[in-house]
Amino acid sequence: MNTNKIVSLWLLVAFCFSASVVQAQRKSKNKDKDQSQKQEVVFTTPYTSPKLVVGIIVDQMRFDYITRFWNHYGEGGFKRLVGEGFNCKNNHFNYAPTYTGPGHASVYTGATPATHGIIGNNWYDKVSDTEVYCVSDDSYASVGTTSDAGQMSPFRNKVSTITDELRLHTQMRGKVIAISLKDRGAVLPGGYAANGAYWFHGKNEGSWITSTFYMNQLPKWVSDFNSSDMAESYKKPWTSLKDISTYVESGTDINNYEGLFKGELNSAFPHDLPALWDTNDQFDILKATPYGNNLTTDFAIASLDGESLGADAITDFLAVSYSSTDYVGHKYGVNSKEVQDTYLRLDQDIERLLKTLDAKVGKGEYTVFLTADHAAVHVPAFLQDMKIPGGYTDSKSTKERFSEFLKYSYGSEDIVKNSSNGQLFLDHNIIKNLDLNLAEVQEHFAKELMSYGEYSHVYTGEQMWANNYTHGIPHILQNGYSQERSGDVITVLNSGYISASARSKGSTHGSPFPYDTHVPLLFYGKGIKKGETFEKTTIPDIAPTIAALLGISFPSGTTGQPIVEVLRK
């Protein structure tokens, strides 16, 4: 082989070796790049950290208030939440009774009364043999008023709340502020660890107050707000927001289904609040008008600056409960022009709150959920006139008939210690002294009550203890049944019926039927997907959904599940 061929062969070998080295280096770089990309995915933060979570509960809001008044809403309130957020269209309370106290507790604990123990607004306490209020606590004093309106705490709630878990997770650095016209609407969402829970004391004061459970004196921003006469500014006539002739989604303005303020001759717009002021407990009259919601929004916005909410990367929580919708619903009823006007004005409040959050916290930097603590039935007299099942029970006649049953069967009425929230509480000592079997007595009572024709369901405490109901009315009742606190016999009035002693005008709530259980559930903001679902969701799902979003522990009694469709991956 000549010299030229040898040199050429060595050059070829060198080139091939060089090419293989380059290729190997490229593969190595690509491999390193792939591994780097994999590491980047692996170490992406597995949770979302909004600067602020805003929980909104609208008291007594039926789901169909979104659709019924849709064409009247502006673009920045309900429509913004629905259009840019996630809409759970088949959201229900999965327990009864459907009242304000249990509703707020269930939203924030992710549990039902069977677990958290708030079985009503008021209930008969079997230990003390007295009726108790869900947040009353005379071991604490009022702050901001000389009245006893501030003697409140969450101690009757048996488990933690999502707000408690946020405080624990952030080593108490994340702030929690809860606000509502109603004390229970602030105390139960605020939980045990809130920085502040505030409610409105009307009468002749018109001030936001709290309890020594939270603090010994009001913060300066709250005192300044109370001194600003903001509440006084709403002492003005309640006129309709729009031309009332356009409120075709509601009934007539004057009818026999609506209640009246003291001093009014009929229920027609406008309602002259200045003229009605003194005869309707002064500032308390604001609660039953949209102005109560306006004032709540004013105070919520003041809290953003006052508490520097959403000002840093540590998540804070603002819990807002709009209560005026409940007061208006109770007074005027589901089909009233007053309810429609209240929701059109609430739509403006929500828009105002969202715009303020955009400006102060930053659009895309906060997360909102909106739901209700219960819905409401149409005025039963209205249902009757429409030839739809509904009406009023003859409470007096029922009581007299049941009294005769007790005397005949047991020789005395004393065997029943209390009747409240659709439940009977029996005297177990008397039953024991008569050598009777408790389960048999309960069943005897249940069969007697079912024979009256006014109840669709009657169950016994023994049935609630012994069975595991998985669907239907008994399942809903069992979720609302606390073994420690509930009664011996549980009754459910026929659909559309309420007790005649409850109210003869306006709407009410409390039943396990869809008109009381079907409520909105909207999620919006950071970490939330845009979309909707018709799959059934329940109220206890809210807290674990927010907990999953934040990457924090579920509240200690959680029975709900995260709604995975809501969360952006």
Side-chain angles (χ1 to χ4, degrees), residues 412-536:
S412 169
E413 298 177 64
D414 293 341
I415 196 171
V416 177
K417 297 187 74 172
N418 181 269
S419 174
S420 57
N421 292 326
Q423 300 184 19
L424 295 181
F425 295 79
L426 307 185
D427 191 320
H428 291 198
N429 289 328
I430 291 179
I431 292 172
K432 184 177 181 179
N433 290 337
L434 292 174
D435 200 24
L436 299 172
N437 180 276
L438 177 61
E440 292 176 354
V441 173
Q442 290 177 349
E443 184 176 355
H444 190 201
F445 276 47
K447 288 181 176 179
E448 172 69 15
L449 292 170
M450 274 300 296
S451 71
Y452 293 176
E454 62 188 53
Y455 300 106
S456 64
H457 298 78
V458 181
Y459 285 88
T460 67
E462 177 67 19
Q463 289 175 307
M464 294 291 105
W465 277 64
N467 299 301
N468 179 29
Y469 299 108
T470 59
H471 62 278
I473 298 295
H475 173 67
I476 292 174
L477 295 178
Q478 192 167 50
N479 282 338
Y481 185 87
S482 166
Q483 292 181 325
E484 176 187 356
R485 295 174 176 174
S486 295
D488 294 278
V489 181
I490 304 96
T491 64
V492 177
L493 291 173
N494 290 324
S495 174
Y497 279 77
I498 67 173
S499 171
S501 62
R503 59 183 67 249
S504 59
K505 306 285 186 180
S507 299
T508 193
H509 49 86
S511 82
F513 295 112
Y515 52 74
D516 280 338
T517 67
H518 190 195
V519 298
L521 176 55
L522 306 173
F523 291 91
Y524 170 87
K526 189 168 187 177
I528 304 299
K529 287 197 298 188
K530 178 180 176 180
E532 62 182 31
T533 182
F534 291 96
E535 294 295 321
K536 186 173 183 179

Side-chain angles (χ1 to χ4, degrees), residues 227-469:
S227 300
S228 69
D229 293 328
M230 183 66 78
E232 184 79 26
S233 71
Y234 292 109
K235 185 180 178 181
K236 58 185 180 181
W238 175 14
T239 57
S240 60
L241 180 65
K242 298 184 177 182
D243 182 347
I244 201 168
S245 67
T246 67
Y247 289 9
V248 295
E249 297 79 11
S250 302
T252 58
D253 191 24
I254 302 176
N255 57 65
N256 293 324
Y257 312 124
E258 300 177 358
L260 305 173
F261 287 118
K262 293 177 183 178
E264 284 188 319
L265 299 178
N266 60 57
S267 59
F269 272 107
H271 300 284
D272 190 353
L273 302 194
L276 301 168
W277 194 259
D278 290 334
T279 55
N280 290 271
D281 292 325
Q282 301 180 50
F283 285 100
D284 273 352
I285 197 173
L286 298 179
K287 297 177 181 179
T289 76
Y291 300 147
N293 287 338
N294 296 157
L295 185 61
T296 301
T297 305
D298 296 334
F299 191 64
I301 289 173
S303 74
L304 294 175
D305 285 333
E307 297 289 346
S308 299
L309 298 178
D312 57 31
I314 301 172
T315 303
D316 297 322
F317 204 118
L318 174 61
V320 182
S321 179
Y322 286 108
S323 305
S324 287
T325 43
D326 184 68
Y327 289 107
V328 173
H330 278 305
K331 182 175 286 293
Y332 296 102
V334 167
N335 204 46
S336 65
K337 305 250 187 232
E338 282 79 4
V339 160
Q340 179 165 355
D341 192 70
T342 298
Y343 276 89
L344 301 194
R345 291 176 179 272
L346 176 60
D347 182 60
Q348 292 186 333
D349 275 316
I350 292 172
E351 179 174 1
R352 180 160 61 104
L353 180 59
L354 293 177
K355 284 183 175 179
T356 305
L357 292 169
D358 290 343
K360 293 184 179 296
V361 182
K363 189 172 183 180
E365 294 296 334
Y366 60 90
T367 304
V368 176
F369 69 80
L370 182 148
T371 190
D373 58 348
H374 53 74
V377 66
H378 272 283
V379 180
F382 169 74
L383 293 177
Q384 288 178 320
D385 289 346
M386 297 297 106
K387 299 182 180 178
I388 296 172
Y392 304 90
T393 60
D394 187 347
S395 303
K396 182 178 179 181
S397 176
T398 299
K399 185 175 181 180
E400 290 174 351
R401 182 177 177 181
F402 192 66
S403 177
E404 290 301 314
F405 159 76
L406 293 176
K407 292 175 182 176
Y408 177 80
S409 301
Y410 300 97
S412 169
E413 298 177 64
D414 293 341
I415 196 171
V416 177
K417 297 187 74 172
N418 181 269
S419 174
S420 57
N421 292 326
Q423 300 184 19
L424 295 181
F425 295 79
L426 307 185
D427 191 320
H428 291 198
N429 289 328
I430 291 179
I431 292 172
K432 184 177 181 179
N433 290 337
L434 292 174
D435 200 24
L436 299 172
N437 180 276
L438 177 61
E440 292 176 354
V441 173
Q442 290 177 349
E443 184 176 355
H444 190 201
F445 276 47
K447 288 181 176 179
E448 172 69 15
L449 292 170
M450 274 300 296
S451 71
Y452 293 176
E454 62 188 53
Y455 300 106
S456 64
H457 298 78
V458 181
Y459 285 88
T460 67
E462 177 67 19
Q463 289 175 307
M464 294 291 105
W465 277 64
N467 299 301
N468 179 29
Y469 299 108

